[in-house]
């Protein structure tokens, strides 16, 4: 998975890649290639070992989440959404100032590769189905997060009063998470 290979393109955040899944259609329907074993984690060379499916109703916001050790490959299967990405790698390494942040509109057929220590979340404009492959099996100790509306992250979410889980509503400020990750 490198920019230019299989349609992968760079984003404003280093190592975050995106592509549009190619659909090969005929009179019967369509076929799309979502993943190949050769598409390992480009930063660590780790294979994807677990697949998850998230289904969200309109106005649901999930995030912002971050993993110390896990990379994700997200595929939007159905719906329209907004993905927010916040690069915590510079802050964890000691940099000060606002972290690099990008907001990407997505729809069915879009894929995004998210490396470890890049905070991520999404907002569902419509019913949204998101399949994500991950490089680590689920480990609750690596499930971290920070406030979806943290002013230091400055994510321009399309909704100011989204539907949130109790976990996401209780996430700490970004500065607290960065201090924990540095420690």
């Amino acid at each position: 998975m490198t920019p230019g290979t299989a349609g992968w393109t760079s984003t404003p955040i280093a190592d975050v890649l995106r592509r549009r899944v190619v659909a090969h259609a005929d009179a019967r329907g369509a076929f799309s290639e979502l993943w190949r074993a050769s598409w390992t984690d480009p930063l660590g060379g780790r294979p994807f070992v677990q697949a998850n499916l998230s289904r969200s109703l309109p106005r649901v916001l999930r995030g912002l989440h971050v993993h110390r050790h896990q990379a994700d490959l997200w595929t939007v299967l159905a719906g329209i959404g907004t993905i927010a990405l916040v690069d915590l790698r510079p802050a964890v390494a000691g940099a000060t100032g606002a972290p690099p942040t990008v907001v990407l509109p997505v729809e069915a057929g879009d894929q995004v590769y998210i490396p470890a220590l890049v905070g991520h979340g999404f907002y569902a404009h419509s019913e949204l189905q998101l399949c994500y492959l991950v490089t680590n099996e689920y480990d609750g100790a690596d499930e971290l997060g920070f406030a979806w509306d943290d002013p230091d992250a400055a994510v321009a979410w399309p909704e100011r009063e989204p539907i949130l889980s109790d976990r996401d509503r209780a996430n700490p400020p970004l500065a607290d998470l960065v201090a924990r990750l540095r420690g």
Side-chain angles (χ1 to χ4, degrees):
M1 265 172 37
T2 55
T5 304
W8 292 101
T9 60
S10 298
T11 69
I13 294 181
D15 308 316
V16 172
L17 304 173
R18 75 179 299 176
R19 82 176 191 127
R20 183 91 182 128
V21 173
V22 176
H24 303 281
D26 63 21
R28 302 166 295 160
F31 170 84
S32 296
E33 182 179 67
L34 300 181
W35 174 78
R36 289 182 181 198
S38 61
W39 296 351
T40 59
D41 169 17
L43 302 181
R46 299 168 300 167
F48 297 107
V49 297
Q50 182 174 319
N52 303 301
L53 176 62
S54 170
R55 294 184 182 107
S56 298
L57 297 173
R59 297 189 55 243
V60 165
L61 190 150
R62 297 183 189 261
L64 289 159
H65 304 150
V66 65
H67 310 285
R68 289 173 290 204
H69 309 291
Q70 174 180 298
D72 291 21
L73 175 59
W74 288 8
T75 303
V76 180
L77 301 177
I80 298 171
T82 297
I83 292 176
L85 303 160
V86 181
D87 192 353
L88 302 184
R89 295 170 295 182
V92 170
T96 58
T101 301
V102 67
V103 175
L104 304 172
V106 292
E107 62 185 9
D110 286 337
Q111 286 188 313
V112 178
Y113 169 79
I114 306 165
L117 290 177
V118 173
H120 50 276
F122 66 87
Y123 174 83
H125 294 274
S126 64
E127 288 190 24
L128 186 72
Q129 290 186 27
L130 181 71
C131 174
Y132 54 106
L133 305 179
V134 295
T135 57
N136 288 15
E137 291 184 5
Y138 177 79
D139 174 6
D142 198 34
E143 292 291 321
L144 306 171
F146 59 96
W148 69 276
D149 59 350
D150 190 289
D152 290 337
V155 174
W157 291 109
E159 170 83 37
R160 294 310 309 160
E161 295 184 22
I163 300 167
L164 299 167
S165 70
D166 291 341
R167 172 191 167 199
D168 290 343
R169 192 175 295 107
N171 276 338
L174 175 58
D176 291 359
L177 177 63
V178 168
R180 177 179 172 194
L181 290 169
R182 285 181 181 169

